[in-house]
Amino acid sequence: MTIWYGGDYNPEQWPRDVWDSDVQLMQRGGISLATVAVFSWARLEPRPGEYDFGWLDDVLDTLHAGGIRVDLATATASPPPWLAKRHPETLPVTEDGVRLAVGSRQQYCPSSPVYREHARRLVERMVERYADHPALELWHVNNEYGCHVSRCYCDVSAAAFRTWLEARYGSIEELNRAWGTAFWSQRYDAFDEIEPPRAAPTFRNPTQLLDFDRFSSDELLACYDAEVEVIRALSDVPITTNFMGFFKPVDYWKWAPKVDVVSDDTYPDPADPNSAAYAAMVRDLMRSLGGGAPWILMEQAPSAVNWRARNAPKAPGMMRAWSYQAVARGADGVLFFQWRQSEAGSEKFHSGMVPHGGTDTRVWREIEALGAELQRLSADQVGLEGSRVPAQVAIAMDWDSWWAIEQPASPTTVSYLEVLFAWHRALSSLGVTVDFVRAEADLSGYRLVVAPAHFVATDAQVENLAAFARSGGTLVAGFGTAITDEHLHIRLGGYLGAPLREALGIRIEEFAPPAAPDLRATGEGDAPPVPITGDVLGGDVLGATWAEFVRLDDAEARATFTEGALSGWPAVTRRASGGGAGWYVATLPEPDALARLAAAILEDAGIARPDPVGTGGALEVVRRGEYVVIINHGGDDAELNLAGTDLLSGSNAPGLVLPPQGVAIVPTDADG
Amino acid sequence: MTIWYGGDYNPEQWPRDVWDSDVQLMQRGGISLATVAVFSWARLEPRPGEYDFGWLDDVLDTLHAGGIRVDLATATASPPPWLAKRHPETLPVTEDGVRLAVGSRQQYCPSSPVYREHARRLVERMVERYADHPALELWHVNNEYGCHVSRCYCDVSAAAFRTWLEARYGSIEELNRAWGTAFWSQRYDAFDEIEPPRAAPTFRNPTQLLDFDRFSSDELLACYDAEVEVIRALSDVPITTNFMGFFKPVDYWKWAPKVDVVSDDTYPDPADPNSAAYAAMVRDLMRSLGGGAPWILMEQAPSAVNWRARNAPKAPGMMRAWSYQAVARGADGVLFFQWRQSEAGSEKFHSGMVPHGGTDTRVWREIEALGAELQRLSADQVGLEGSRVPAQVAIAMDWDSWWAIEQPASPTTVSYLEVLFAWHRALSSLGVTVDFVRAEADLSGYRLVVAPAHFVATDAQVENLAAFARSGGTLVAGFGTAITDEHLHIRLGGYLGAPLREALGIRIEEFAPPAAPDLRATGEGDAPPVPITGDVLGGDVLGATWAEFVRLDDAEARATFTEGALSGWPAVTRRASGGGAGWYVATLPEPDALARLAAAILEDAGIARPDPVGTGGALEVVRRGEYVVIINHGGDDAELNLAGTDLLSGSNAPGLVLPPQGVAIVPTDADG
Amino acid sequence: MTIWYGGDYNPEQWPRDVWDSDVQLMQRGGISLATVAVFSWARLEPRPGEYDFGWLDDVLDTLHAGGIRVDLATATASPPPWLAKRHPETLPVTEDGVRLAVGSRQQYCPSSPVYREHARRLVERMVERYADHPALELWHVNNEYGCHVSRCYCDVSAAAFRTWLEARYGSIEELNRAWGTAFWSQRYDAFDEIEPPRAAPTFRNPTQLLDFDRFSSDELLACYDAEVEVIRALSDVPITTNFMGFFKPVDYWKWAPKVDVVSDDTYPDPADPNSAAYAAMVRDLMRSLGGGAPWILMEQAPSAVNWRARNAPKAPGMMRAWSYQAVARGADGVLFFQWRQSEAGSEKFHSGMVPHGGTDTRVWREIEALGAELQRLSADQVGLEGSRVPAQVAIAMDWDSWWAIEQPASPTTVSYLEVLFAWHRALSSLGVTVDFVRAEADLSGYRLVVAPAHFVATDAQVENLAAFARSGGTLVAGFGTAITDEHLHIRLGGYLGAPLREALGIRIEEFAPPAAPDLRATGEGDAPPVPITGDVLGGDVLGATWAEFVRLDDAEARATFTEGALSGWPAVTRRASGGGAGWYVATLPEPDALARLAAAILEDAGIARPDPVGTGGALEVVRRGEYVVIINHGGDDAELNLAGTDLLSGSNAPGLVLPPQGVAIVPTDADG
């Protein structure tokens, strides 16, 4: 086995004579896998039905001759301009009715049968031609589905939406019930009266919005399915499509079972001190999507990206440190966008493995050094790749809830991702590895499950979470959880649903989110913090985002609000049950307080926190298989105190000094 | 007589078996009036021309059986989706040309003859069926006219606008003169060349904009008129439509004479410490619109709303305190949106009288308690309802001025409402009750009239205000007043118009609004304050928003600017005239300074300020009929010092302690 | 010769009887030139093909009788509403597809053949009628080209864009190469597949964007050319069109050779303390566009404008001081918009020479006084007008670079104008006069050339700049310079291009712009400053906007970055060459530091800075012809110390006190 190393390779941007030097340079850099043809449709099919594969044959043969394996894209991510010229109805339309034009990329309506048919036709040719190419390692379907166009409001999409709704609800009566159209005179008399949630006079029907989110995710998945069907008919090579971390428009829980290997594109901001912690959360999601199986980091930047307003380069060592973070959290491949930095086009300022400045550059030297290091690890058969990452704690994650809790006309403004990140970071900072799970999944493998802001919860999910608490698990429900069922109908009688109300011993009487003055109800303003207190929080601290009036039925308050009408009302509650417990947290405690609360809950759940592996720096510690990976994300040196020999430096770990961005990999049997 | 108590009742959202318990609960809560059928069109006419009134018969009968009176909506506020499906041209269009879709509410072009015809047809059926229903107390035409769609730029509206203009101006020459089209080559050769003020290369013609505002308000009023015509033909029951406080798009001065009773929907932000003062201003407008007659608070929230970015609940007692504020300022009804908090739809997070959590909740308990209290007041025949609220002071309020002064391409950025609020609040804080008036009205009933930012003034208005000052009244003109006539033509020679220039003894040489640097003329920036000084202001204070060079012709400066080129120029002027005086205020003094100035002006006008009724807290004091209503909006207890027995507590007022949100009602003969 | 004095005169806004008093007042005010008919199309051609010139005959005759010369506009800047009514396709369309409506001004697609034909037809009539009018001094073509509509995305424009592209590239292959369409599958198979850069899913092709900027500027120029062709056929009177300072949409370098005299409209913000310095830069550009020839300040405001959010008036004296600034920097005319302040329309709050308040106003008195003063200067034949402004220093300025460096998907967010202004201001503050030049121009007349942010550089430009440094000149290249060639293809191997890399002795390895954290890559945030140090900067100071890793090949570091990964890397470099030097500046030092750096560079270039002419105040000092003009922009008095007699006051300059906004004009032979 090997840890894949490589990147997107777009040789059509360069003259033929560059290709040979590319392969030589790839060999020098330890590259083992190249993603090819992601944006090649217009080159492969220069006009409808006319194909030019010769150059791609050449590319694949050249790579193969150099020993580079190929992740071959189906090239359908960006149709050629001729498609829009001949079929303008394939161009996507915004909710304001603006039809988007050619000239950038991904300009297709996901529901367009014309686009899908053209894409299938191309994929068929690709598979026929390359299914048996000796360089082929992986099929790469399309690219970053929905990255720019995930919602289309055109008439073609409208028709597809109606078909999808008819399949979901069966009858217009059932849809009317689910959407609550009795209110605001929205009752539909027939499916053909329904439109996508286009620009409207005011708030659009919430369930219509949610269904349009589901529909839109499904339509992209149908595009993927259509291509996969073509490939599977002719090829046994594994298939992937590259995910994009926590990407709101697409429900990856529904996609993950359909890929042979999960792969991910993530571009943390080097200028953001939270990026390493945020990236850790993304890696954990990718591992969880594949059910714990190894995944591939398909794209990251060698240094700066080009699409932020201001694009900082990665600090020296940062690319290596973040690459090992992915490996530590389950990745068996470390790839980049892109091999050679473009000379022209929209991404010319996106860094490349071979920069504008050539190989006498820091960026290339770091690329080359990491390639050599990974080759050595694979050659030494240390067995990191292919191994699993154990976790006793899980966070319930749910796209329906993400879509719904961020809708307008809600109690307050919540960033679902910020809430998730707060909890993931608090737990990770204690040295605990966290999986993500669906709330209806088998939770028996975990000792602690956290369900924060799980706004939309089916009866089955409510029961599953409650059963977990009843059967000895420790459940933490956060504010905003199980407010509604899958149709966005309120769970009446105190929210949460009866099983969870019982498991937690509480019900919620009224929301009381912090709010800022707004004389004439326009604009937003910042929400003020809410003071809370409690030993589990470390005393008097602040909460953010949310507050509410929680009634104790059969639980004890472990922290309380301390100001205004909320004063004395519970902010954190706990109900003991057979061996386990049900916690409820009615606000978002500030980071340090949340970490203290998380520590108390871990202790309550009987989960031992690992001993510190060193002092100084800012250490991320993750166990994978037989090893502990330690990364210093801080600005100062760290000194390790665990025994064993670091695979990377060959030094003995006790006393080993990790500089900023330093990494060590130490056998776990050496641990403590 | 009775003080109406109740709310919007939308039983079609709930199963039939809930309806009976609704009525029982209404009885328990002291409910006397329910607004029904506001959003029922799609249910009443499920397809064109096919009606289903059975369920509404049932609702009305059930309410009647329970002794609940009905405010019956005509159900035309939100057309069913089938109307848009069959007549897409009824959908409104934004100034950017976006046609708004079904899926929310109010998706109709106000000028659409198709919409109006469908609405009339429905109203006809409603009136035929229910004109003689014994539960019927009030007709509720449509709902919150213009709330989401007050301006439509479609071709149908364009044609209606041209018709309106032709009626207003008679000839294209007259329109060209009024609009000043000699400038910028805008001369129209025929009416059919005119468009609504759609998105254009730069500033649109100001008079076109103003006329489009007038037209749009008139078109909504024509919708109302069309329904009223149908009702009046068959029913003698009084008619209302619910206003929305200071609602910019609609000129309520033109509407008020056409309703039998003024009713109002107002949703002050519980998170805003200015809300009680702001709501007081709204109540005073509602009373003034009806010429002092009692009005109905048709909608307020039991606790939180759902349409702000962050929605704070009302603090305990706040709903009661704000309800009494409405009564004190002339309301004979206190109603809510809505009875039972929705389970689904866009307003499910808007609080209801019966919350999601049921009746074992603070919100319900407060609803029930207030209901009982109001019933007792009515039963005791204390005579609060039906009585009048006396005022010696009026503020001139004008929709034309509101529309015009907030246009772009003006001297500076002014919020008309903020200026009005500053003056209303300053006067109210001194215990003085304020009416709102039109500047052309008979002002002889007042001793003091304030005309702030009355940008657009007809010759008649200029003369009327000047005559008031000439005939012994005290007139205060604020900056921005009478800059133009009704066509937005400048009043040359010093602004204000000759009669006002004479009455005030001043003319304005040049505007000098405070401005922030802006290197390349993009963006806004905040306006810096302008220092002013004067005994009437309490010394050296700050002004905001506006400044100018005022020339004294026959007036004395009572305050001056103190910095820059303005230094030494008058900021406040006074000219004495036969028994009265004309004041001019060239900036917006900070709140405390404005209150001091208002006190000086009251004294000058010979208006006695009432003695303080207590100490501590933050007391609102209003006289209605034979009573003084006292409300403590502060965070601390107040102790009352006036004699008499509080109707609510039965305690003697002297020494009575009003906690935060506390209310007392004391007979005026006990006053002093 | 005379210094022209006057303004836009729009008598069609006023009754006929005002015209005579206008001319009398103009005579009183010393007015010599009036711009007429700018917005008169709808009046001159009230319906298609029907002309009404009688009133304009009257206007010109009346002016002529009063001795006022006429700058006669072709009246094509704003078509009458009937054009849009009859030819809706002449209305411009935004990138989102919104067709802009009549009702403001300039509502035409610059590429519209229908508009151009109608315009030509009108111009033909105008020239036929007025070519020989005795009052005619100047033709004023159109007005502020592109001011509101500089980019049109309609189908007519799309076709014109394709034609323009075909002419530029010859073949679709060449376009594909230039645009780099091999990336993102953008390859065009035929010109008819190309669209303007309309709203698209994500970043549009950068070269397409740049070409659309070039095309759009050219299309406006073609409109101008079309009118000029008509005029030249029948008239020898000189022609101008009014520029708008640094106006991004239009490349004035291409326009300037086509006007007989450069004229400019500039409206510095009186509320901005930077305005005088910024206006100085604009004046220098205008002089430079005409190759040093005198130009005309065609429009400035007598006091306030009306189109900012908040519009401050000019302080007393400011209008006069800024007028002399224009004269000092090469203007032979000082004109205003507009003569009489409008009574109606979108610019009624824009100040006029004759204000709303009439002639008993400060504004009129200042207008009148300046008119008298300028008349006296002309009468005394002091010879200021017509003379040249000498400069040894030039800044390279380039519209392609402006368009390109502000595109999205760039290394960071740069305001091209802010960078230019920083350098201009630093040099001007040292008493040095600066020209603007094209980078390919003959630079031999200068000793120092600064090329900041010259992002797009052709091979010829790169070579020309390098040759300047090689041949004894002092060249300063700023960050962002010569990153790409004219197709926006990266200059590989270290940016800058080989000749400049050699001349400067450096290459750039990687950009490292300061950036703020952004967890999920949305929003912008402010860029933090970057600490730098160096004697030439005055020690430890801060840089802004940009930073990068610069490699020294054959240069010395004169300042360095001091933090993070950049620590120790060069921030300012210098390479000596035969008599001259090549400096490179990798960030934007804060103003004081940049002034110190500029002083060091001036010394290095052997350019003597003039001695201070006084103490106190904030003095602008410019030499024009035989005179030094001194203006005090500060808030305090200044005392002059140079010898000679001030032309304006007649006082001896040594010891002369200049109050705030004061001006003195002293013969240079008196200097030092």
Side-chain angles (χ1 to χ4, degrees), chain B residues 552-578:
Chain B
L552 301 176
D553 284 336
D554 178 27
E556 53 175 347
R558 300 294 294 267
T560 52
F561 295 101
T562 60
E563 246 185 43
L566 280 165
S567 194
W569 286 75
V572 178
T573 69
R574 179 179 183 279
R575 175 178 178 273
S577 64

Side-chain angles (χ1 to χ4, degrees), chain A residues 160-236:
Chain A
F161 185 41
R162 288 188 280 265
T163 302
W164 185 93
L165 289 169
E166 212 157 346
R168 180 176 177 90
Y169 293 110
S171 71
I172 197 67
E173 290 72 30
E174 191 52 27
L175 177 141
N176 278 312
R177 202 197 60 75
W179 286 18
T181 61
F183 193 48
W184 279 12
S185 187
Q186 294 176 345
R187 183 190 165 280
Y188 294 97
D189 198 50
F191 278 99
D192 73 358
E193 291 171 8
I194 301 173
E195 302 289 350
R198 291 173 177 152
T202 180
F203 300 121
R204 290 159 294 184
N205 183 289
T207 318
Q208 178 192 17
L209 285 171
L210 178 59
D211 273 347
F212 193 69
D213 284 327
R214 290 164 170 154
F215 157 78
S216 299
S217 175
D218 284 358
E219 287 296 281
L220 289 166
L221 183 52
C223 290
Y224 172 80
D225 286 342
E227 295 199 18
V228 166
E229 192 187 37
V230 175
I231 299 171
R232 295 264 193 242
L234 297 166
S235 169
D236 292 332

Side-chain angles (χ1 to χ4, degrees), chain A residues 189 199 413 495 509-510 525 551, chain B residues 47 303 309-310 356 360 362:
Chain A
D189 198 50
T413 302
Y495 308 106
E509 183 172 326
E510 192 181 5
R551 296 271 290 265
Chain B
R47 50 210 73 89
S303 186
R310 298 181 178 88
H356 287 152
D360 178 11
R362 174 188 72 87

Side-chain angles (χ1 to χ4, degrees), chain A residues 439 457-467 482 491 496-501:
Chain A
T458 63
D459 288 352
Q461 290 177 325
V462 168
E463 173 52 29
N464 194 49
L465 292 172
R491 294 195 168 279
L496 292 163
L500 268 177
R501 284 202 294 270

Side-chain angles (χ1 to χ4, degrees), chain B residues 387-449:
Chain B
S387 64
R388 314 278 289 197
V389 178
Q392 295 177 291
V393 179
I395 294 177
M397 195 266 153
D398 181 61
W399 265 266
D400 279 0
S401 295
W402 192 353
W403 292 327
I405 204 172
E406 295 185 355
Q407 284 188 358
S410 288
T412 189
T413 301
V414 172
S415 161
Y416 180 70
L417 217 44
E418 271 175 24
V419 176
L420 239 61
F421 181 41
W423 277 101
H424 185 275
R425 181 181 198 153
L427 289 159
S428 301
S429 72
L430 303 169
V432 168
T433 299
V434 176
D435 281 351
F436 287 96
V437 292
R438 306 184 81 161
E440 71 276 26
D442 174 6
L443 305 173
S444 60
Y446 300 103
R447 305 186 69 159
L448 169 63
V449 171

Side-chain angles (χ1 to χ4, degrees), chain A residues 105 144 148 265-272 275 299-315 318-319 322 335-338 341-342 345-353 356 362-363, chain C residues 183-184 203 407-413 495 510-523 546-547:
Chain A
R105 68 188 241 211
E144 297 188 342
H148 304 301
D265 298 355
T266 291
Y267 292 92
D269 185 355
D272 187 341
S275 282
E299 290 185 21
Q300 66 173 338
S303 186
V305 300
N306 68 314
W307 38 262
R308 293 191 173 95
R310 298 183 178 87
N311 300 289
K314 286 183 174 168
M318 186 179 270
M319 182 275 289
W322 291 4
L335 283 78
F336 299 86
F337 179 88
Q338 61 179 336
Q341 190 171 13
S342 292
S346 279
E347 301 203 45
K348 62 183 174 291
F349 290 115
H350 191 293
S351 58
M353 299 166 80
H356 287 153
R362 174 188 72 87
V363 167
Chain C
F183 193 48
W184 278 13
F203 300 121
Q407 284 188 359
S410 288
T412 190
T413 301
Y495 308 106
E510 192 181 6
F511 307 127
D518 172 15
L519 179 58
R520 277 149 307 147
T522 57
W546 194 279

